[in-house]
Amino acid sequence: MRYTSEQQRTFYLQSLALLDPADPIQQLSDQSRMDLLKSLIVYHEWRYYIRHDPVISDFEYDQLYKQLERLEDQYPQWVGTDSPTRRVSADLGSDFPEVPHLSPMLSLANSYDETDLREFDQQVRKFAGLTGDDPLAYTVEPKFDGGSIALVYENDLLVRAATRGNGERGEDITHNARVLRSLPLRAAFSEYGIAKVELRGEVLIRKDIFEKINASRAEEGLSLFANARNTASGGLRMKDPRDLEKRGLEAFIYQMAYTADAAGNELQLFETHDERIALLGKLGFKIPEQERKVCRDIAEATRFCLDWQEKRDTYPYEIDGMVLKVNELSIQQRIGSTSHHPRWAIAFKFRAKQATTRLLDVAYQVGKIGSITPVAKVTPVQLAGVTISSISLHNEDFIRQKDLHKGDTILVERAGDVIPYIVKAMPELRDGSEQPIVFPRECPINDSDTPVLLVRAEGEAAWRCPNCVCGAQDLQRIIFHVSKDAMDIDGMGKSIVERFYELGWIRSIADIYRLDYENIAQLEGFGEKSANNLRQAIDKAKENPIHRLLHSLSIHHLGKKVSRILAARIGHVLELRNWSPEDFTDIKDIGPIVAENVRAYFQQPEHIELLQTMESLGVNLTRKEEDILPEPAASGPLLGKTILFTGTLQELDRKAAQQMAQQAGAKVLSAVSANLNILVAGEKAGSKLTKARELGTVQILSEAEFLAIIKAQNPSAEPDESY
Ligand code: IVH
């Protein structure tokens, strides 16, 4: 190990201190600060490039790097040849022979917002001698987050592949590159007069393949890969290409760095970067396509970046930003590079999805069926634009698997969804004061004098409180009952339920339907109007179809799907009182556990009484037409797709079209979003069509095309008249 764990801890804490304007470390003299920054950056580069296991986020690293660059501008006399800004990155590993690159493999400067990009544009103009009015186009493409690769083709054959290494020299990984199916072993460069060419690209693993690999590793009891980037860049450096082949890696090419003719003279091919990339596409390389755009000016480029920031999760590969490149090659040449990065390109980094923070304490929450969920309280930290201060720890096993301790430094991430997640603890940063997390065996919420032992059912990860006497479960059930997924009572969120609960106004879900609106109108922050709105929302919920009501009862394992199946088979909710165990299990799709839970629920007199009370308060318990809707298809030409109809349809009415789409396996959405796959546009389609076109990822169909897809599968398809 190049660094002791004590050194690593100190480096980590010093890095954070330098990023904290309130820390006393800010009083360091500029010269000492430069020395410190150099050592810290070299350390973080070692963690990143050699260990593939960084302890700070890319964003934090960039901030340190920028601090050093700024000081070096101010004090060029102290820069020294050993500064990390004077070479491209830290040392190489030593597993493979080193090879020199034909031209240095530089890094990119980073930007984070519109202002940074505008400044970049001004810098480019200044260096290129352009005025503010001269046209200046940029090609914008994804910043792929994998392992970089440099490829040399000679006389049309792939002769060498190397990692980036220190930018001057990389590791020879030709044997590995040859198994990447997306890299042609032969490409017709000679048709363009090119005898020798060096290409740059990034090796990646598709996100879904990464997840599959990890799932099967978990099944085999192997350790999991931390993320897609490490799986790809680690894969490139594997000894046996057959192991690499199993990882299903792919290479995107984003640059033609050097081209020479047969006499060895450097060639000037094409006028723009975009044309060069398009040529590579033609020659059989994988290149960014609809995710690459030539933008007229910096404003359009910025919009394209911001757009992709929003939809980055829909992209099948990990990307951590976009790269803007001056499209005109003559301008690129005119303005050149620093020793670190080209002046004609910049990375626009997406909001950080990872950060480090400290796990301070653990709180416990009880769910609607009594599950005890541990929640980590952490030092507040910014993650993808949101401040995070608590993160679910899921269950006891999670805490154990991740070996989490109170006081640990942890790496947190907001991945595909918005929920933050603890990637790992960093045991090398412990100082001995950390405390193990002891999962309680008694209900931690219970506030009575008699302890309640928790239970853990076989095969389940959660500990549950079987008999919580403190009402915490009731509260959670009420919160769930009013939620969007259940009765969907508009305007009655968690905080209002908690407030009414504290006031003693609601103790069970039935109490929601006998609230005193005059009292509510008197509450601070309410008034007549809000009380009235709430009344209307609750009155509307009373009329809900019974599948919603069944789901809203918080019966363990009873989800939306089985609620619908049951609702379609009963005339009135209380009929379930008379169902035998077989009545449930005879239905395909109803498993024994949920069958038993529902049966047991309807055997309890207090539950029957609760439902009767609700009925007497006006809540609908009788099956409605919506309860007999067809269930989503399990197959069909649109299976797994999301679809939206807009404009006036000629042949079908909107409802019938939606129903046909559902029967073909699609999910019908009500608005254009990044999740939308298909938009069927009828006549006079308006803003939804424009928005879908702008997204660029939505398939747009006419009504006739939609019908053709449905009929190809099922020639007799007709909208169901009973609907
Ligand atoms: S161009 C001379 N384009 O980002 C400019 N780089 O931080 C060279 N990267 O090591 C880079 N996607 O591996 C360029 N579309 C893209 C890229 C890209 C990912 C990587 C590249 C480089 C790193 C720079």
Side-chain angles (χ1 to χ4, degrees):
M1 179 79 66
R2 185 171 151 178
Y3 295 92
T4 66
S5 55
E6 185 49 39
Q7 254 174 333
Q8 298 207 31
R9 226 181 77 72
T10 312
F11 279 168
Y12 171 75
L13 294 174
Q14 287 173 330
S15 306
L16 293 196
L18 283 174
L19 297 174
D20 177 0
D23 195 282
I25 206 169
Q26 307 300 346
Q27 281 147 28
L28 272 184
S29 72
D30 284 349
Q31 193 169 10
S32 316
R33 191 184 180 106
M34 279 172 78
D35 287 341
L36 179 60
L37 279 164
K38 280 186 208 168
S39 320
L40 296 179
I41 290 168
V42 168
Y43 165 65
H44 292 303
E45 290 181 346
W46 173 78
R47 294 258 358 171
Y48 187 97
Y49 290 109
I50 308 295
R51 293 276 307 275
H52 299 295
D53 186 20
V55 287
I56 59 171
S57 63
D58 293 359
F59 178 75
E60 289 161 334
Y61 168 83
D62 289 338
Q63 298 304 310
L64 294 175
Y65 200 99
K66 279 197 175 162
Q67 286 191 9
L68 180 57
E69 275 186 325
R70 238 174 281 135
L71 286 168
E72 289 184 344
D73 279 351
Q74 220 174 321
Y75 307 103
Q77 69 275 28
W78 294 334
V79 174
T81 50
D82 64 338
S83 167
T85 61
R86 301 296 118 151
R87 59 171 176 182
V88 184
S89 80
D91 2 3
L92 294 161
S94 53
D95 286 345
F96 300 92
E98 275 185 29
V99 283
H101 296 302
L102 299 188
S103 61
M105 224 169 150
L106 298 181
S107 249
L108 286 167
N110 288 324
S111 65
Y112 298 91
D113 55 28
E114 286 185 64
T115 321
D116 292 348
L117 289 179
R118 231 176 297 126
E119 232 166 68
F120 165 69
D121 184 64
Q122 281 159 8
Q123 285 293 320
V124 172
R125 286 176 187 279
K126 197 177 106 200
F127 278 109
L130 299 174
T131 71
D133 297 331
D134 290 323
L136 180 54
Y138 294 97
T139 302
V140 186
E141 55 198 33
K143 181 165 179 346
F144 300 108
D145 197 9
S148 15
I149 192 169
L151 307 162
V152 179
Y153 283 77
E154 252 176 54
N155 302 324
D156 293 349
L157 292 178
L158 171 65
V159 292
R160 204 182 74 196
T163 62
R164 173 166 178 265
N166 65 7
E168 302 285 341
R169 305 169 71 78
E171 289 167 294
D172 188 331
I173 49 146
T174 314
H175 60 298
N176 278 342
R178 292 180 63 84
V179 302
L180 301 178
R181 303 272 151 117
S182 51
L183 283 183
L185 295 177
R186 168 188 286 278
F189 287 106
S190 53
E191 287 180 18
Y192 298 85
I194 306 171
K196 185 169 184 175
V197 55
E198 190 178 42
L199 308 178
R200 302 280 162 80
E202 196 90 352
V203 172
L204 300 169
I205 180 167
R206 248 185 32 213
K207 291 190 276 195
D208 56 339
I209 297 184
F210 168 71
E211 268 153 32
K212 273 193 205 130
I213 292 182
N214 256 353
S216 74
R217 286 181 73 89
E219 247 167 53
E220 290 171 43
L222 298 172
S223 65
L224 301 189
F225 292 129
N227 54 44
R229 184 216 292 143
N230 292 359
T231 315
S233 64
L236 275 185
R237 304 168 76 246
M238 283 167 102
K239 289 253 158 56
D240 186 344
R242 277 168 302 187
D243 291 334
L244 170 67
E245 211 173 357
K246 287 188 210 129
R247 291 200 186 177
L249 302 186
E250 296 168 52
F252 273 94
I253 306 299
Y254 55 69
Q255 204 191 355
M256 200 186 254
Y258 172 88
T259 41
D261 63 16
N265 299 320
E266 206 170 331
L267 284 168
Q268 300 299 331
L269 273 182
F270 300 119
E271 287 181 358
T272 63
H273 167 74
D274 185 64
E275 285 167 293
R276 284 189 170 177
I277 298 299
L279 169 68
L280 292 173
K282 240 195 264 170
L283 293 176
F285 291 89
K286 194 174 174 73
I287 54 162
E289 297 199 77
Q290 107 278 359
E291 65 278 36
R292 172 177 111 251
K293 184 173 180 188
V294 181
C295 297
R296 202 177 339 111
D297 53 24
I298 196 72
E300 190 181 348
T302 306
R303 277 197 301 277
F304 193 63
C305 290
L306 293 174
D307 218 29
W308 273 96
Q309 170 156 273
E310 290 316 310
K311 61 185 186 191
R312 69 188 287 188
D313 292 326
T314 64
Y315 196 65
Y317 305 86
E318 288 292 351
I319 50 179
D320 58 345
M322 301 301 281
V323 182
L324 284 75
K325 298 175 182 174
V326 169
N327 198 30
E328 290 292 330
L329 297 170
S330 59
I331 303 183
Q332 288 192 5
Q333 257 169 0
R334 204 175 329 148
I335 68 182
S337 306
T338 71
S339 63
H340 174 262
H341 57 259
R343 291 200 184 87
W344 43 262
I346 195 163
F348 174 83
K349 298 287 287 259
F350 293 151
R351 285 184 295 244
K353 295 212 298 187
Q354 279 201 342
T356 51
T357 185
R358 187 169 279 248
L359 194 166
L360 302 172
D361 202 0
V362 179
Y364 295 90
Q365 288 176 351
V366 64
K368 60 192 164 61
I369 51 153
S371 316
I372 305 294
T373 307
V375 179
K377 298 290 162 193
V378 305
T379 311
V381 61
Q382 280 280 327
L383 212 51
V386 178
T387 307
I388 309 291
S389 56
S390 54
I391 306 175
S392 175
L393 295 170
H394 308 288
N395 53 51
E396 187 183 18
D397 293 348
F398 183 87
I399 297 173
R400 198 168 306 140
Q401 279 156 11
K402 302 258 168 188
D403 185 31
L404 298 172
H405 286 61
K406 285 185 201 171
D408 265 348
T409 302
I410 51 175
L411 182 69
V412 295
E413 177 173 277
R414 272 178 76 199
D417 41 31
V418 290
I419 302 166
Y421 175 81
I422 297 185
V423 181
K424 60 174 186 178
M426 290 191 268
E428 64 272 40
L429 300 174
R430 287 188 186 143
D431 64 4
S433 66
E434 296 74 17
Q435 294 294 317
I437 299 170
V438 184
F439 202 91
R441 289 292 171 262
E442 288 172 6
C443 178
I445 320 286
N446 175 21
D447 57 5
S448 78
D449 293 336
T450 349
V452 183
L453 280 183
L454 300 179
V455 292
R456 182 171 173 176
E458 219 186 297
E460 287 193 10
W463 285 93
R464 289 214 292 140
C465 171
N467 180 30
C468 217
V469 281
C470 60
Q473 286 188 44
D474 293 333
L475 176 60
Q476 294 307 318
R477 277 192 214 112
I478 301 170
I479 292 172
F480 177 71
H481 180 86
V482 303
S483 71
K484 268 223 151 355
D485 263 359
M487 295 296 267
D488 191 16
I489 300 182
D490 205 20
M492 189 161 183
K494 183 165 178 257
S495 58
I496 294 187
V497 173
E498 281 170 348
R499 195 158 164 204
F500 291 179
Y501 188 89
E502 266 163 34
L503 288 164
W505 293 354
I506 41 179
R507 282 283 173 258
S508 76
I509 55 174
D511 292 338
I512 296 168
Y513 302 95
R514 51 179 160 212
L515 282 168
D516 182 330
Y517 296 99
E518 277 173 24
N519 282 344
I520 294 176
Q522 306 301 316
L523 280 183
E524 208 189 306
F526 263 90
E528 286 290 330
K529 187 149 178 269
S530 308
N532 226 345
N533 288 347
L534 186 62
R535 180 209 303 266
Q536 279 173 13
I538 291 177
D539 284 347
K540 183 167 159 241
K542 287 180 179 172
E543 300 302 324
N544 271 340
I546 58 173
H547 68 82
R548 277 192 174 272
L549 177 65
L550 284 171
H551 185 216
S552 78
L553 298 175
S554 295
I555 300 173
H556 195 15
H557 292 307
L558 177 63
K560 275 195 224 173
K561 181 170 165 213
V562 174
S563 300
R564 273 184 180 274
I565 294 173
L566 289 174
R569 284 169 172 78
I570 50 177
H572 188 276
V573 171
L574 290 176
E575 280 172 28
L576 290 171
R577 240 186 322 187
N578 308 321
W579 276 36
S580 70
E582 293 74 36
D583 288 335
F584 288 100
T585 45
D586 283 351
I587 304 173
K588 183 174 136 299
D589 291 331
I590 298 196
I593 296 176
V594 59
E596 176 48 28
N597 292 345
V598 182
R599 199 197 61 80
Y601 182 95
F602 282 93
Q603 291 310 304
Q604 296 230 11
E606 65 267 28
H607 291 153
I608 302 301
E609 207 178 298
L610 174 81
L611 286 162
Q612 282 167 338
T613 309
M614 286 169 73
E615 190 168 36
S616 71
L617 293 169
V619 178
N620 169 56
L621 263 63
T622 311
R623 186 177 67 196
K624 295 194 148 196
E625 221 179 302
E626 294 106 293
D627 286 313
I628 37 182
L629 262 185
E631 282 147 29
S635 65
L638 301 178
L639 188 62
K641 298 271 192 238
T642 54
I643 195 165
L644 173 66
F645 294 86
T646 188
T648 321
L649 303 179
Q650 298 303 305
E651 274 195 50
L652 301 167
D653 84 32
R654 174 80 60 94
K655 276 235 153 119
Q658 289 174 339
Q659 193 200 3
M660 288 169 84
Q662 276 171 345
Q663 280 168 350
K667 188 171 159 206
V668 179
L669 301 188
S670 55
V672 179
S673 72
N675 298 328
L676 183 65
N677 303 128
I678 301 172
L679 181 82
V680 180
E683 291 199 355
K684 301 209 188 85
S687 64
K688 287 185 177 158
L689 177 58
T690 321
K691 205 163 159 208
R693 283 211 178 108
E694 275 169 13
L695 274 178
T697 50
V698 181
Q699 185 184 6
I700 294 166
L701 296 179
S702 67
E703 183 182 2
E705 285 167 330
F706 168 72
L707 273 171
I709 291 176
I710 301 283
K711 293 213 165 127
Q713 167 81 8
N714 175 8
S716 65
E718 287 291 330
D720 185 347
E721 292 305 328
S722 71
Y723 180 74

